[in-house]
Amino acid sequence: MTAMTPEDAVRHVVSTDPTFAVEEVEVRGVAVKAFKNIPASVPALLAAGWERHGDGALEYLAYEDETYTYAEFTASVYRMARAMQDELGLRQCDRVAIAMRNYPELLMLVLAISSFGGVVVFVNAWWTTEELDYALRDSEAKVVFADGPRMKRLMPLRETLGLTLVGVRDGEGQTALDFSTLRGAAKSDQAPEVSIDTDDDFAVMYSSGTTGHPKGVVQTHRGAVNAVFSWLMQSVVAPLVDPPEPDAPEPPRPSALAVTPLFHVTATHPVFLLSLPAGAKITLMHKWDAEEAVRLIRDNSITRLLGVPTQSADLMEAAKRMGETLPSLDYIGAGGAKRPAAQVAQLAKTFPNAGVATGWGMTETNALGIGMIGDDYKARPDAAGKLHPPLQELSILDDEGNPVPNGTIGEIAVKGPQIMRCYLNKPEATAETVVDGWMRTGDLGTLDDEGYVTILDRKKNIIIRGGENIACLDVEGALHRHPDVLEAAAFSVPDERLGETVGAAVQLREGTTLTLADMAAFLDGHLAKFKIPAHLWVQHDVLIRGATDKIDRRAIRAACLAKQEAKV
């Protein structure tokens, strides 16, 4: 077979494979390209993947010593969907929250809730009671499935918010309702009979923005499934661009290790949801442990790892210590944060069978966006990659919203069926972010003549710590609760392992002091632990201000980092 260019391969697949046929549709008054023949909804992905999973017979999900065939998993999904309808009285469009670590039940619940037309509300498992209170009020979710630690944080909210709490795993027995009892009470394991429109809401997933509270990103079924099939198409395009040898064996069944939290799009969409039509097996880890990850990949012939850059770096060091090259791995991707450029070649050398990849996407884009793999990435380790075809459009815009020439820095904007419907309860923020169908990402970058995007900075005041987005205003708001803090500015501090950590500069009242330990103790319970500053600069003078007399966060950051550098 003669190798095709990536562009020719995409055109060939779109024109010859009915699965990836494209049509123009109108979504919320905007014309976009979308796949014509794919499933209309997220729960329909279950049926679409049946044949690829051996007509249900293949092992689909593994967690510690538990395994589920695809048929067992599907039956469990539908039983829980029926139980939620019959026992809990839930109906189409009801919002149902999930608050737990990565358990098999989380995957089942995502599909069970969406199977009866409900809307999944993903709750960050690290949030405090205060943060949970905000999200549940904002989403108006009245039913919450929670494991033990999350259940304890939710209990103080049960009466005031009128919550129905359902225990999962170590959360069972803490309230009158348990996951296992509910599932056992179901009268059917057949899919609920409900009509779901492709533009109905699928999920609310919270993302830290520039405001003091996270924004609820409302994702539709159309957005999620079009993102999934955009990734699936890459597996069809790849052998056309890089044809296998004539006598090469059949590629192994894809098998993914889920290592990031399933309340983020990096794990839900390109790992979990993609696994359904791709025929891939999923293995869940109880908690990230690099050496355990090496053992799981080695012993279970796992082919795919997608995590934050810190995890691929940890995996590389653990594999070296253990003398493993993990030959089954054919994909090592990174999302959620930028991977250090030097790490790209190191990973390729340590795992010679794997294509090292990078990706950029957002909760607001159902994780679909930009990426590259292999030689392209090794040649451009500082870049983010190219736009994933064939549905998306991309433009680099100036402050007035006009496209800028290639090579000129501007704000990255994307358009397509994958764009969120809105920010929940925030019409002004939605209108500022989505303009005529174009999603203003808040990331600054350049586009070269070959179509490669390089991300250079952020317009938004966001810190990305190990893949977790942290709003500076969220941290500052919590710091201002301290009686001795007059002003506060939060900003990113470079970190070799996590990429960035949280730093803060504060102005204190005269005659007072504040240590890093004191500050951390004060913020405990107000902020999730990953948001609490790891670095603190204290002064009694006014913080640096700009021309409009507002706090100049960038100047404050530069001054604090200079002081830190001088001490080293």
Side-chain angles (χ1 to χ4, degrees):
M1 181 189 297
T2 303
M4 298 182 184
T5 67
E7 294 76 17
D8 286 343
V10 168
R11 283 191 288 268
H12 174 78
V13 171
V14 168
S15 62
T16 62
D17 188 336
T19 301
F20 302 105
V22 172
E23 64 177 349
E24 188 173 279
V25 298
E26 188 174 292
V27 180
R28 296 181 290 281
V30 175
V32 296
K33 291 182 290 185
F35 289 119
K36 184 178 181 180
N37 300 316
I38 63 173
S41 68
V42 169
L45 293 172
L46 263 176
W50 187 260
E51 185 177 347
R52 296 287 293 272
H53 290 275
D55 291 331
L58 293 179
E59 187 176 289
Y60 168 63
L61 180 60
Y63 173 72
E64 297 190 332
D65 59 351
E66 302 171 28
T67 59
Y68 303 81
T69 67
Y70 197 72
E72 290 169 339
F73 177 81
T74 300
S76 190
V77 166
Y78 292 151
R79 290 185 70 83
M80 182 51 67
R82 294 281 190 164
M84 282 193 261
Q85 288 179 308
D86 297 340
E87 305 300 323
L88 299 182
L90 289 167
R91 295 294 177 259
Q92 195 161 357
C93 299
D94 285 345
R95 296 186 186 129
V96 183
I98 305 173
M100 66 185 72
R101 65 161 59 249
N102 286 7
Y103 286 127
E105 289 85 348
L106 196 159
L107 304 184
M108 296 170 188
L109 284 165
V110 169
L111 292 173
I113 294 165
S114 56
S115 287
F116 67 80
V119 181
V120 184
V121 177
F122 290 92
V123 170
N124 190 310
W126 304 114
W127 279 345
T128 63
T129 297
E130 285 183 20
E131 292 164 315
L132 291 167
D133 182 46
Y134 169 78
L136 293 175
R137 288 179 188 273
D138 184 56
S139 68
E140 298 181 298
K142 296 301 182 184
V143 175
V144 187
F145 287 81
D147 63 7
R150 265 49 64 176
M151 187 69 78
K152 290 177 183 176
R153 296 176 210 163
L154 287 162
M155 283 294 191
L157 307 174
R158 182 167 58 167
E159 297 301 324
T160 55
L161 298 186
L163 301 178
T164 297
L165 301 179
V166 184
V168 180
R169 297 273 165 163
D170 53 353
E172 294 202 351
Q174 296 189 34
T175 66
L177 292 166
D178 293 335
F179 178 95
S180 54
T181 304
L182 259 182
R183 182 173 56 181
K187 301 175 180 65
S188 171
D189 60 4
Q190 299 300 304
E193 296 176 5
V194 61
S195 177
I196 301 172
D197 187 86
T198 193
D199 287 311
D200 285 349
D201 292 347
F202 154 59
V204 178
M205 190 173 277
Y206 281 87
S207 176
S208 289
T210 53
T211 59
H213 288 297
K215 293 197 278 280
V217 177
V218 181
Q219 301 168 342
T220 65
H221 290 272
R222 185 195 296 274
V225 295
N226 274 277
V228 165
F229 275 80
S230 293
W231 295 309
L232 186 64
M233 197 178 91
Q234 293 177 35
S235 66
V236 180
V237 167
L240 300 177
V241 175
D242 184 17
E245 295 296 327
D247 57 348
E250 283 291 313
R253 180 191 179 202
S255 178
L257 182 63
V259 296
T260 57
L262 283 157
F263 50 76
H264 286 325
V265 285
T266 301
T268 51
H269 290 50
V271 178
F272 168 43
L273 295 182
L274 176 59
S275 74
L276 301 171
K281 178 183 173 181
I282 296 287
T283 299
L284 301 179
M285 292 189 73
H286 179 74
K287 181 181 180 181
W288 173 248
D289 179 290
E291 293 194 359
E292 177 63 13
V294 170
R295 286 188 284 270
L296 286 169
I297 293 167
R298 179 195 63 200
D299 298 343
N300 296 280
S301 299
I302 286 169
T303 65
R304 182 179 176 84
L305 177 80
L306 175 58
V308 296
T310 303
Q311 290 170 317
S312 52
D314 289 350
L315 184 80
M316 177 170 60
E317 294 306 313
K320 288 177 181 177
R321 288 194 303 272
M322 299 167 71
E324 299 286 352
T325 59
L326 304 181
S328 66
L329 267 184
D330 62 25
Y331 178 91
I332 302 177
K338 188 179 186 301
R339 178 184 275 132
Q343 197 184 100
V344 180
Q346 294 168 359
L347 284 165
K349 183 178 179 180
T350 305
F351 305 114
N353 288 358
V356 181
T358 187
W360 169 96
M362 303 174 69
T363 308
E364 291 88 338
T365 67
N366 281 275
L368 187 63
I370 299 164
M372 58 182 170
I373 189 171
D375 292 340
D376 280 352
Y377 189 19
K378 284 190 283 186
R380 304 168 184 83
D382 286 311
K386 286 185 173 182
L387 200 66
H388 290 311
L391 307 178
Q392 303 181 93
E393 299 177 59
L394 180 141
S395 188
I396 308 294
L397 307 176
D398 62 19
D399 289 341
E400 283 72 47
N402 301 311
V404 301
N406 286 355
T408 304
I409 187 170
E411 183 176 9
I412 299 168
V414 291
K415 180 182 179 183
Q418 80 284 6
I419 300 301
M420 68 172 184
R421 180 172 70 79
C422 67
Y423 288 123
L424 185 64
N425 303 323
K426 291 180 170 57
E428 291 183 3
T430 302
E432 291 173 1
T433 304
V434 183
V435 181
D436 297 327
W438 286 92
M439 171 82 201
R440 306 287 184 87
T441 68
D443 285 316
L444 299 175
T446 59
L447 177 69
D448 70 17
D449 292 338
E450 295 181 87
Y452 289 94
V453 176
T454 300
I455 298 173
L456 301 171
D457 203 351
R458 289 187 291 275
K459 290 182 75 174
K460 299 181 291 185
N461 297 319
I462 292 292
I463 301 161
I464 303 180
R465 179 193 181 276
E468 290 281 358
N469 284 10
I470 302 166
C472 292
L473 290 183
D474 198 9
V475 178
E476 291 164 4
L479 285 166
H480 277 113
R481 292 170 177 255
H482 195 288
D484 295 332
V485 172
L486 297 177
E487 284 191 324
F491 47 83
S492 65
V493 176
D495 184 88
E496 287 188 7
R497 183 170 181 274
L498 296 168
E500 296 175 344
T501 54
V502 183
V506 297
Q507 179 195 0
L508 296 180
R509 298 183 189 279
E510 286 295 333
T512 63
T513 59
L514 183 67
T515 67
L516 183 65
D518 291 339
M519 182 240 359
F522 175 81
L523 294 178
D524 187 30
H526 295 297
L527 283 178
K529 291 190 184 301
F530 70 87
K531 299 180 185 178
I532 294 175
H535 306 271
L536 179 68
W537 288 265
V538 173
Q539 62 188 67
H540 292 95
D541 296 331
V542 172
L543 298 180
I544 301 172
R545 304 181 114 64
T548 60
D549 205 36
K550 292 182 179 179
I551 287 177
D552 189 335
R553 186 179 284 102
R554 291 193 181 190
I556 294 169
R557 177 181 185 271
C560 291
L561 294 185
K563 291 177 186 177
Q564 179 176 273
E565 185 70 22
K567 290 181 180 179
V568 176

